[in-house]
């Protein structure tokens, strides 16, 4: 907090020099640097300056100083994977930050709405029936949205959806779809389908290709753009329903606009990468401790931080051991202790102990 | 400014919390609502602020209302300034962010309540009195001509009560209309031009503060005997209210 709260003059886009500087230059640069590093690192390693040239060569006429294989690895193999990890990481982190604001609770994450479980069920169903990845993505998206519709219907009281009902409906829906996923793994053929479902559920970007970037990119770009436009309104929404209404905000439409955007992002992310936990919980916290709770600064920082975070984790996942480590395992193994240390050190600065 | 016509509210059919309440709040006027707990003071206030729709009757607002809630639990550590800035929501488009104009207006509002020096403090680190002043500043930043306050001085010590009450009186002198609830008849006595006494669900009386704040009326309202003590201090006659807790 103290970093953010020192400015003497009031200028639009409050927050101190630090936060503005971070947004304007530091953080995007860091994301680009992480991306270039990730494109080079791996079993077949390419030096960063070579990666940089290969990337430039896609738009500028540059004399190749690299081998055909270098370019293939960077552009075709790792390219879509790095793009996907940034989209999924940024999207999940942003979703987590929005949900924490909407539910006025810093401990909720993208799982709370039941959308993750719904999408997981949809994906597992497609794998069980041996359908291709287009169906997998479509089915995951559809079931994720279906979960949100169920949550909405269950939480509706007198034409409104109180937060408490929303949380309970989310928990119920989540538990229900999780049970359905268990049913699928129970009936799945243990030699062919079961391992595929289990590995998909653990989360992985190993099968990334450019066509798969689309189902993740569309929700993140559209939903994320919408969320960023509404980021100051989210401050008001996080004061609670009655206060927001008293300040002239139409709470129900605004809340659902944000929730639908979040659901689309989460469903898109699950569709292409399986269930990747912890990103949506840890990264918003990290960002909040760093730049404070004002969503105008918090949301862009969270988005960029999430993109860098998951790209680093995914690079570790594919280069630490000869076999790939599932992404969901690493995000939890890294996320949980980091989260704990941060919480202890800052004692929940940026949010109020309820 | 604000007109309530024959409004009534019930959570379930025919179980009226209050009925047949009418009042018209004029410019620069302060009206205080008094009544025991559970009589529906806050509900009436929410109806007036447009946060609840009364079951019968109509509420007419000439312009936007600045509503100051009773207690505020913020989940995030917004600074006092950020809190005040949120009062500008009506002036700022759905997809827009606050601009210089909004910052100036929020800053002025904080100065008006005398808390400019605390602008960057986290709201929840402020004392109860300061929090109340920040919430009033937020209502001022919204440029409302009508303030509606739920128990503005209920949880405050005497010094902070004085701060809030004097501020409200000064704001009324500057042209704002104020509707508030209070548990303290002394506050109504100090502030209000008119008072609304909520005796029962179908028995509400409204009138000039001087006429209605009598020993008999207040004693009947709370079921506690109240004395109005008049004394002379420095050549002027003063009055105070004293509840007689020991009597029964």
């Amino acid at each position: 907090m103290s970093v953010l709260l020192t400015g003497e003059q009031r200028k639009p886009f409050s927050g101190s020099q630090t936060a503005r500087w971070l947004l304007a230059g530091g953080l995007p640069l860091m994301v680009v640097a992480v991306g270039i590093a990730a494109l080079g690192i791996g079993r077949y390693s390419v030096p960063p300056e070579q990666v940089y040239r290969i990337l430039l060569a896609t738009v500028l006429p540059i004399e190749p100083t690299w081998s055909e294989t270098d370019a293939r690895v960077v552009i075709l193999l790792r390219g879509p994977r790095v793009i996907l990890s940034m989209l999924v990481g940024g999207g999940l982190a942003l979703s987590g930050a929005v949900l924490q604001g909407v539910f006025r609770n810093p401990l909720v994450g993208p799982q709370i709405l039941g959308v993750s479980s719904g999408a997981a069920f949809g994906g597992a169903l497609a794998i069980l029936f041996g359908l291709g990845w287009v169906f997998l993505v479509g089915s995951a998206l559809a079931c994720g949205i279906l979960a949100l519709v169920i949550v909405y219907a269950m939480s509706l009281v007198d034409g409104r959806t109180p937060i408490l009902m929303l949380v309970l409906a989310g928990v119920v829906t989540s538990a229900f779809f999780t049970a359905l996923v268990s049913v699928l793994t129970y009936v799945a053929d243990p030699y062919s389908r079961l391992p595929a479902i289990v590995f998909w559920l653990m989360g992985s970007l190993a099968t990334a290709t450019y066509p798969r970037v689309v189902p993740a990119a569309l929700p993140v770009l559209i939903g994320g753009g919408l969320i960023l436009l509404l980021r100051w309104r989210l401050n008001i929404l996080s004061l609670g329903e009655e206060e927001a209404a008293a300040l002239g905000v139409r709470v129900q439409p605004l809340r659902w606009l944000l929730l639908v955007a979040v659901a689309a992002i989460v469903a898109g992310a699950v569709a292409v990468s399986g269930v990747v936990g912890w990103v949506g919980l840890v990264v918003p916290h990290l960002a909040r401790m760093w730049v404070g709770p004002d969503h105008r600064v918090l949301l862009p920082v969270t988005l960029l931080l999430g993109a860098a975070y998951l790209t680093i984790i995914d690079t570790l996942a594919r280069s630490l051991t000869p076999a790939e480590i599932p992404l969901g395992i690493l995000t939890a193994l890294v996320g949980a202790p980091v989260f704990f240390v941060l919480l202890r050190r800052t004692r929940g600065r940026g949010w109020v102990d309820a | 400014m604000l007109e309530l016509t024959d409004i009534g509210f019930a959570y379930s059919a025919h179980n009226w919390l209050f009925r047949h309440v009418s009042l018209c709040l004029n410019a620069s006027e302060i009206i205080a609502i008094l009544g025991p707990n559970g009589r529906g003071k806050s509900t009436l206030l929410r109806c007036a602020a447009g946060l609840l729709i009364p079951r019968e009757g109509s509420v007419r607002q000439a312009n936007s209302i600045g509503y100051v809630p009773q207690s505020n639990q913020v989940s995030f550590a917004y600074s006092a300034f950020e809190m005040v800035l949120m009062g500008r929501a009506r002036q700022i488009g759905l997809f827009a962010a606050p601009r210089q104009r909004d910052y100036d207006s929020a800053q002025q509002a904080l100065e008006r309540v005398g808390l400019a020096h605390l602008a960057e403090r986290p709201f929840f680190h402020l004392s109860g009195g300061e929090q109340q002043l920040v919430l009033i500043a937020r209502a001022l930043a919204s440029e409302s001509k009508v303030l509606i306050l739920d128990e503005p001085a209920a949880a405050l010590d005497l010094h902070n009560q004085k701060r809030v009450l004097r501020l409200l009186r000064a704001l009324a002198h500057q042209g704002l209309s104020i509707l508030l609830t209070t548990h303290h008849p002394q506050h109504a006595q100090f502030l209000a031009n008119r008072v609304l006494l909520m005796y029962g669900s179908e028995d509400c009386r409204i009138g000039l503060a001087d006429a209605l704040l009598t020993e008999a009326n207040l004693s009947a309202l709370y079921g506690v005997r109240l004395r109005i003590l008049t004394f002379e201090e420095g050549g002027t006659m003063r009055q105070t209210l004293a509840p007689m807790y020991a009597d029964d």
Side-chain angles (χ1 to χ4, degrees):
Chain A
M1 286 305 300
S2 54
V3 184
L4 194 72
L5 303 178
T6 48
E8 288 282 81
Q9 306 166 278
R10 316 249 160 253
K11 287 278 158 57
F13 203 8
S14 86
S16 70
Q17 298 294 335
T18 322
R20 246 177 295 158
W21 181 85
L22 273 174
L23 271 179
L27 215 44
L29 267 183
M30 186 186 97
V31 174
V32 171
V34 166
I36 288 178
L39 286 171
I41 294 171
R43 194 64 33 72
Y44 184 94
S45 119
V46 183
E49 66 272 16
Q50 208 70 285
V51 174
Y52 181 66
R53 282 202 204 141
I54 294 171
L55 289 182
L56 272 188
T58 57
V59 283
L60 297 173
I62 296 180
E63 202 58 29
T65 56
W66 54 87
S67 70
E68 191 76 355
T69 323
D70 284 355
R72 285 258 302 279
V73 166
V74 168
I75 302 285
L76 290 180
L77 285 178
R78 292 185 193 146
R81 187 159 184 170
V82 168
I83 294 174
L84 266 188
S85 66
M86 286 187 171
L87 287 171
V88 169
L92 287 178
L94 187 67
S95 304
V98 170
L99 291 174
Q100 290 170 10
V102 168
F103 290 103
R104 311 177 63 198
N105 186 335
L107 289 178
V108 305
Q111 275 90 345
I112 192 88
L113 271 181
V115 175
S116 294
S117 318
F121 169 74
L125 198 64
I127 297 173
L128 181 72
F129 289 120
L131 303 171
W133 77 267
V134 177
F135 286 97
L136 192 159
V137 167
S139 162
L141 267 172
C143 290
I145 302 291
L146 176 71
L148 187 71
V149 172
I150 293 175
V151 167
Y152 178 74
M154 282 205 290
S155 57
L156 205 60
V157 179
D158 296 336
R160 300 188 316 122
T161 50
I163 285 288
L164 182 64
M165 287 303 290
L166 208 50
V167 171
L168 292 176
V171 170
V172 169
T173 309
S174 191
F176 184 72
F177 276 109
T178 306
L180 285 183
V181 169
S182 297
V183 171
L184 292 187
T185 53
Y186 183 70
V187 300
D189 175 359
Y191 296 103
S192 58
R193 304 290 182 225
L194 183 59
I197 293 178
V198 169
F199 275 102
W200 181 76
L201 285 176
M202 282 195 263
S204 172
L205 289 165
T207 55
T209 55
Y210 280 111
R212 287 202 188 194
V213 169
V214 179
L218 280 183
V220 171
L221 292 182
I222 297 172
L226 187 69
I227 286 168
L228 288 181
L229 280 173
L230 291 167
R231 64 193 195 276
W232 185 67
R233 295 263 142 179
L234 187 52
N235 279 354
I236 304 178
L237 202 58
S238 75
L239 293 179
E241 180 148 8
E242 186 171 270
E243 277 204 66
L247 291 171
V249 169
R250 291 177 60 211
V251 174
Q252 296 288 332
L254 178 61
R255 184 189 288 163
W256 280 99
L257 203 57
L258 289 166
L259 292 186
V260 168
V262 163
I265 292 174
V266 172
V270 173
V272 294
S273 62
V275 180
V276 179
W278 281 90
V279 178
L281 182 62
V282 175
V283 176
H285 265 277
L286 201 70
R288 201 175 288 116
M289 288 160 188
W290 197 7
V291 298
D294 183 351
H295 290 89
R296 278 177 297 166
V297 187
L298 178 67
L299 292 189
V301 167
T302 302
L303 178 76
L304 294 171
L305 217 52
Y309 175 75
L310 197 64
T311 305
I312 293 171
I313 295 282
D314 184 52
T315 307
L316 292 177
R318 64 180 164 77
S319 54
L320 275 184
T321 58
E324 284 222 7
I325 307 169
L327 206 50
I329 294 179
L330 262 192
T331 51
L333 280 181
V334 174
V338 167
F339 189 51
F340 173 74
V341 171
L342 283 173
L343 275 185
R344 291 304 303 180
R345 276 184 42 193
T346 63
R347 297 180 186 186
R349 216 159 32 190
W351 50 280
V352 183
D353 210 348
Chain B
M1 294 264 99
L2 174 70
E3 202 178 333
L4 311 183
T5 315
D6 202 28
I7 66 166
F9 189 88
Y11 282 105
S12 57
H14 304 300
N15 197 0
W16 295 98
L17 197 54
F18 55 80
R19 262 190 116 169
H20 307 309
V21 178
S22 296
L23 68 82
C24 177
L25 185 67
N26 302 310
S28 274
E29 190 182 30
I30 299 181
I31 296 182
I33 302 171
L34 290 101
N37 284 335
R39 200 53 45 94
K41 295 190 298 295
S42 297
T43 307
L44 176 59
L45 218 54
R46 287 198 181 94
C47 288
L51 296 172
L52 280 178
I53 297 167
R55 206 162 256 242
E56 58 178 29
S58 70
V59 177
R60 216 163 52 83
Q61 300 166 349
N63 50 32
S64 71
I65 299 257
Y67 176 72
V68 181
Q70 185 165 5
S71 65
N72 183 289
Q73 288 186 319
V74 283
S75 307
F76 298 102
Y78 297 123
S79 67
F81 185 79
E82 281 162 6
M83 289 292 283
V84 176
L85 192 59
M86 293 187 209
R88 300 289 297 170
R90 281 198 190 83
Q91 280 78 16
I92 297 169
L94 182 61
F95 294 115
R99 287 188 285 181
Q100 190 63 53
R101 206 178 30 181
D102 305 302
Y103 284 79
D104 294 343
S105 166
Q107 182 69 25
Q108 279 165 18
L110 262 182
E111 280 163 16
R112 253 171 113 181
V113 302
L115 287 189
H117 60 293
L118 297 179
E120 301 296 355
R121 291 273 191 86
F123 177 77
F124 72 100
H125 278 175
L126 301 177
S127 73
E130 289 161 349
Q131 289 191 354
Q132 194 66 50
L133 292 172
V134 168
L135 294 181
I136 292 173
R138 187 175 71 185
L140 293 177
S142 72
E143 291 174 11
S144 308
K145 289 275 181 280
V146 178
L147 289 190
I148 294 185
L149 306 97
D150 200 358
E151 305 284 357
L156 306 181
D157 60 37
L158 287 176
H159 171 71
N160 278 304
Q161 288 179 17
K162 186 173 104 178
R163 259 172 113 183
V164 170
L165 294 178
R166 285 193 163 192
L167 173 70
L168 290 178
R169 203 153 79 163
L171 291 173
H173 279 303
Q174 292 162 22
L176 268 76
S177 309
I178 295 173
L179 180 67
L180 63 109
T181 56
T182 179
H183 278 304
H184 298 282
Q186 312 92 288
H187 294 177
Q189 198 183 33
F190 175 78
L191 278 177
N193 306 102
R194 285 191 289 161
V195 292
L196 176 71
L197 304 183
M198 300 181 82
Y199 284 101
S201 62
E202 309 220 4
D203 184 13
C204 293
R205 260 175 267 169
I206 185 164
L208 289 176
D210 295 336
L212 279 193
L213 292 179
T214 62
E215 286 181 354
N217 282 346
L218 290 172
S219 302
L221 186 65
Y222 295 107
V224 172
R225 199 161 69 84
L226 273 113
R227 294 290 314 276
I228 295 180
L229 308 176
T230 311
F231 56 96
E232 195 201 308
E233 194 186 74
T236 50
M237 294 305 286
R238 290 171 178 269
Q239 268 193 348
T240 191
L241 279 160
M244 303 283 115
Y245 298 117
D247 292 8
D248 231 346

